[in-house]
């Protein structure tokens, strides 16, 4: 029996409810952002997925989780105000501890200057950035190896990942704040 995406035998209200349930189920089951292209086969050709997502979002308003548009798709996430409760219940493993200032700086440099080598990062930071620090960010899936640099020795470069986008609630790198805005806000020295 073929999957019935159109549901023409159902009244419009029930059809909409079923499409909404399908989309919500797929988002709930996915640990990564789900793209529009992945959701399209679940609903009728005339269905507007963004409107389904809006309806689900409205239903979730009072819940401790929400749907976030990130990394080119949608994903469930716990609302920020519940982060401490989750950490307390689970304990805080080392790989989920807050970033040190140096780790945050390195991740910021990679996000803004990618692809970038470890030597270039060290030069920008003003001291050697160790493999352990890069390894931690890599192990969390926030960065990945980029293309080899054309400089002598062809060192690896580093780039951010879709997990980076999801972790920071960004749909794309274009949503990163402009550096001049960060300087104006006093978050970066000029």
């Amino acid at each position: 029996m073929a999957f019935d995406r159109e549901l023409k035998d159902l009244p419009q209200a029930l059809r909409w409810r079923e499409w909404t349930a399908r989309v919500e189920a797929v988002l709930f089951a996915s640990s990564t952002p789900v793209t529009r292209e992945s959701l399209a086969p679940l609903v009728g050709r005339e269905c507007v997925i963004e409107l389904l997502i809006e309806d689900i979002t409205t239903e979730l308003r009072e819940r401790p989780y929400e749907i976030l548009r990130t990394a080119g798709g949608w994903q469930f996430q716990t609302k920020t105000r519940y982060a401490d409760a989750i950490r307390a219940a689970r304990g805080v493993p080392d790989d989920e501890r807050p970033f040190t200032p140096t780790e945050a700086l390195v991740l910021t440099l990679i996000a803004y200057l990618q692809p970038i080598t470890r030597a270039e990062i060290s030069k920008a930071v003003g001291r050697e950035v160790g493999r352990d620090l890069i390894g931690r960010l890599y192990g969390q899936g926030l960065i990945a190896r980029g293309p080899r640099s054309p400089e002598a020795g062809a060192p690896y470069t580093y780039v951010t990942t879709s997990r980076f986008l999801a972790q920071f609630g960004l749909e794309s790198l274009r949503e990163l704040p402009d550096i001049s805005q960060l300087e104006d806000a006093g978050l970066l020295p000029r």
Side-chain angles (χ1 to χ4, degrees):
M1 194 168 161
F3 182 77
D4 182 7
R5 72 182 270 187
E6 295 297 332
L7 302 173
K8 295 222 182 251
D9 59 329
L10 294 178
Q12 180 59 34
L14 290 178
R15 190 176 322 149
W16 187 262
R17 187 176 301 155
E18 178 61 21
W19 288 338
T20 302
R22 289 174 178 182
V23 167
E24 186 173 355
V26 169
L27 292 176
F28 181 80
S30 179
S31 62
T32 59
V34 180
T35 64
R36 180 179 219 302
E37 293 74 29
S38 296
L39 296 173
L42 307 177
V43 299
R45 288 180 190 88
E46 302 300 318
C47 180
V48 180
I49 292 172
E50 288 77 8
L51 294 177
L52 281 176
I53 300 286
E54 280 182 34
D55 282 358
I56 297 168
T57 300
T58 299
E59 289 178 24
L60 298 177
R61 219 171 248 138
E62 301 301 319
R63 306 301 302 168
Y65 43 85
E66 60 194 349
I67 295 176
L68 177 70
R69 177 132 182 128
T70 184
W74 294 275
Q75 184 174 21
F76 269 106
Q77 85 166 13
T78 307
K79 291 180 180 172
T80 306
R81 69 177 184 244
Y82 298 104
D84 289 338
I86 292 167
R87 282 190 204 100
R90 290 177 37 200
V92 181
D94 187 51
D95 67 343
E96 289 189 16
R97 66 177 166 72
F99 294 116
T100 66
T102 303
E103 290 167 338
L105 176 59
V106 167
L107 192 54
T108 301
L109 287 167
I110 294 170
Y112 278 97
L113 302 175
Q114 62 187 305
I116 185 171
T117 65
R118 192 166 61 89
E120 292 169 327
I121 295 167
S122 294
K123 184 177 178 181
V125 171
R127 62 187 160 98
E128 182 66 24
V129 171
R131 285 185 171 90
D132 289 345
L133 189 152
I134 295 293
R136 179 167 180 272
L137 298 174
Y138 185 86
Q140 288 185 308
L142 299 172
I143 63 171
R145 286 184 176 152
R148 294 275 194 161
S149 173
E151 65 188 60
Y156 283 108
T157 61
Y158 296 95
V159 296
T160 56
T161 63
S162 60
R163 181 170 169 95
F164 167 85
L165 295 174
Q167 172 119 3
F168 293 99
L170 303 170
E171 188 167 343
S172 74
L173 291 172
R174 288 186 294 275
E175 291 184 356
L176 285 171
D178 184 77
I179 290 187
S180 62
Q181 291 173 324
L182 295 173
E183 291 171 343
D184 292 345
L187 299 172
L188 287 178
R190 293 196 181 274

